Amino acid sequence: MDFFNSAYEGTPPWDIGHPQKEFVDLVRRGEITGSVLDIGCGTGEHALFFAGEGHEVWGIDSAPLAIRKARKKAAKRGLTVHFQVLDARELSRLNRKFDTATDSGLFHTLSDEGRPVFVDNLAAVLAPGGNYFMLCFSDREPAGYGPRRISEKEIRDSFRDGWSVNYIRAATFESRTRAQGPHAWLASVSKK
């Protein structure tokens, strides 16, 4: 995870200075509810947006530098978010439940071995009936620059047991490096 901490010494391509449009739309449609855990929160744009909309929010990231930047943004904006350095595969250490969990760009960084560990930890912190919203790189994105591409089948397979996949739809990742961002999937998954 040193790569991610180093990336925050500058401004990585995924740190666009505002929340991804897909997450803004989820809030506007009323799909983000109750307490929110923003997993892989980076410098906190989604977590801060959710807090500004009146949600109790926690944001976790494995990059200490990203969390320091997120805390500074929260203080500057006068918003309350509990930011914590934590690996997404250790969510159970939070010892609490959330109504909603969000993930913008974390899932596609997980290895095949790391995915089930993450999903088990997500189950430990999401309340029954709670929703997980994930924006990840899609296998519709041509090979080349960027992270691993994820298929719709991989998402469904990861959330087979104890979960209900509400939808997986084509989306776009906004990026600082491309006017038309990369192809993505937006998934909504509920804990049974």
Side-chain angles (χ1 to χ4, degrees):
M1 294 298 175
D2 288 340
F3 165 79
F4 289 103
N5 200 56
S6 316
Y8 287 106
E9 290 173 4
T11 305
W14 59 84
D15 193 356
I16 59 174
H18 58 83
Q20 292 279 335
K21 180 185 178 308
E22 294 291 346
F23 287 94
V24 173
D25 290 348
L26 287 171
V27 168
R28 299 295 177 246
R29 288 193 305 267
E31 293 187 62
I32 303 290
T33 60
S35 58
V36 180
L37 174 63
D38 187 21
I39 306 165
C41 67
T43 63
E45 288 299 335
H46 294 106
L48 294 165
F49 172 65
F50 301 142
E53 293 293 314
H55 296 278
E56 174 198 0
V57 184
W58 286 42
I60 66 105
D61 202 288
S62 64
L65 184 53
I67 292 297
R68 283 198 297 277
K69 288 182 174 187
R71 288 176 178 154
K72 284 181 185 176
K73 284 182 183 181
K76 185 175 181 180
R77 297 178 193 179
L79 292 168
T80 301
V81 175
H82 181 86
F83 287 111
Q84 184 173 332
V85 176
L86 185 68
D87 187 301
R89 295 164 296 183
E90 298 176 349
L91 295 175
S92 61
R93 291 179 48 203
L94 294 173
N95 289 320
R96 62 157 298 160
K97 301 278 186 193
F98 297 88
D99 301 305
T100 302
T102 60
D103 160 3
S104 178
L106 173 95
F107 189 80
H108 59 236
T109 69
L110 298 168
S111 67
D112 290 344
E113 301 78 26
R115 276 189 207 157
V117 175
F118 168 71
V119 171
D120 287 348
N121 273 268
L122 179 61
V125 297
L126 201 58
N131 293 309
Y132 167 62
F133 297 98
M134 178 218 337
L135 187 64
C136 70
F137 253 64
S138 165
D139 56 350
R140 292 181 177 181
E141 179 67 18
Y145 175 78
R148 176 181 184 176
R149 278 59 167 162
I150 302 295
S151 71
E152 194 173 343
K153 181 181 183 313
E154 287 175 284
I155 297 169
R156 291 187 186 284
D157 287 349
S158 295
F159 294 96
R160 209 177 19 234
D161 301 323
W163 300 89
S164 179
V165 176
N166 304 313
Y167 60 77
I168 301 172
R169 63 176 181 244
T172 301
F173 250 114
E174 293 176 86
S175 167
R176 288 186 323 95
T177 58
R178 290 169 51 181
Q180 175 59 39
H183 293 281
W185 294 117
L186 178 67
S188 167
V189 182
S190 297
K191 181 180 171 185
K192 290 183 181 176

